[in-house]
Amino acid sequence: MIRVVIADDQMLVRAGFHMILDGTDDMAVVGEAADGLQVLTVVAGTRPDVVLMDVRMPGIDGIEATRRIRAGLEPDEPPHVIILTTFDLDEYVYAGLRAGAAGFLLKDTLDGELLQAVRAVAGGHNVAAPTVTRRLVQHFVATGPRIVDTAPLATLTARERDVLERIAEGLSNQEIGDRLAISEGTVKTHVSRILAKLGLRDRIHAVIYAHQSGLV
């Protein structure tokens, strides 16, 4: 069971997310918070697996709350945080990434995509809405190192290169499977192997690497 805390200053938003998450067999909402300071107390008391975090809240904002959550629960593994916002702005994305957030989604994300994101983040993966991924790529390609080690690309199979190119387009595993006529499970296996071979931490960094290496 994936234990989730919802942090948002709007009661109706919290109620909507609560209904979506509690409607599944593998998730349970174990706490809610209406401001940035309250979520710290709720997280400390419930020890969730995932926190859905609004950006703009009273007290401290969601970015600072994320930073404190990710830094303040040693020796236990801190919960993973998904930043949820109606504002698709660069400053939130970059600040959230630096604060340790594992996911970035817009509040108009479809129910199924939200549930997939929670499951992925709980499993140790990073997720981002396609628009957020594109912004991250544009930022890090523009400001990051121009030269990366392209030698590991030679270790990829032809199919793995195909999958990496589709990842770089911002496609989901299901969309990649449909495009390449393979199962979603097979796509997940390819993604894991790609990250291992290239020495990359997560899917977002795979997108950045694909662009900086010249693959796409």
Side-chain angles (χ1 to χ4, degrees):
M1 186 66 70
I2 302 172
R3 297 162 54 82
V4 183
V5 163
I6 303 170
D8 195 290
D9 61 345
Q10 297 185 43
M11 182 180 66
L12 290 179
V13 172
R14 296 198 307 274
F17 286 141
H18 196 139
M19 182 175 63
I20 294 170
L21 296 170
D22 267 356
T24 67
D25 295 330
D26 61 339
M27 299 181 196
V29 176
V30 296
E32 295 185 11
D35 62 62
L37 289 174
Q38 185 182 18
V39 70
L40 301 180
T41 301
V42 173
V43 166
T46 60
R47 300 294 173 121
D49 302 301
V50 177
V51 179
L52 297 182
M53 183 79 73
D54 186 25
V55 171
R56 294 183 173 180
M57 292 187 293
I60 59 174
D61 64 22
I63 303 299
E64 175 61 18
T66 297
R67 187 190 67 77
R68 296 189 190 184
I69 286 172
R70 292 296 297 169
L73 290 177
E74 297 295 344
D76 294 344
E77 172 66 23
H80 303 288
V81 178
I82 297 177
I83 299 291
L84 286 165
T85 179
T86 55
F87 306 97
D88 185 12
L89 300 178
D90 294 349
E91 60 183 287
Y92 296 138
V93 175
Y94 308 146
L97 186 64
R98 290 193 296 269
F104 306 88
L105 296 177
L106 302 182
K107 286 186 179 179
D108 61 0
T109 297
L110 298 176
D111 295 1
E113 294 174 349
L114 173 63
L115 296 177
Q116 282 187 334
V118 171
R119 293 184 182 108
V121 166
H125 303 287
N126 285 39
V127 297
T131 55
V132 174
T133 299
R134 284 194 292 272
R135 288 175 181 272
L136 282 171
V137 171
Q138 291 166 0
H139 173 74
F140 285 108
V141 169
T143 63
R146 292 291 181 179
I147 300 175
V148 297
D149 183 8
T150 59
L153 281 175
T155 67
L156 300 183
T157 66
R159 177 60 82 190
E160 287 167 351
R161 289 174 70 99
D162 288 340
V163 171
L164 180 56
E165 290 174 2
R166 303 294 85 74
I167 292 174
E169 292 178 21
L171 300 185
S172 67
N173 286 345
Q174 182 176 346
E175 290 170 333
I176 293 173
D178 292 343
R179 180 79 65 86
L180 300 179
I182 56 179
S183 71
E184 186 174 358
T186 300
V187 174
K188 291 180 181 178
T189 298
H190 285 314
V191 173
S192 296
R193 290 175 178 169
I194 290 167
L195 296 180
K197 288 182 177 181
L198 300 182
L200 302 174
R201 189 174 66 197
D202 53 53
R203 195 184 190 95
I204 292 175
H205 287 86
V207 175
I208 296 169
Y209 179 90
H211 283 263
Q212 291 187 329
S213 68
L215 180 64
V216 295

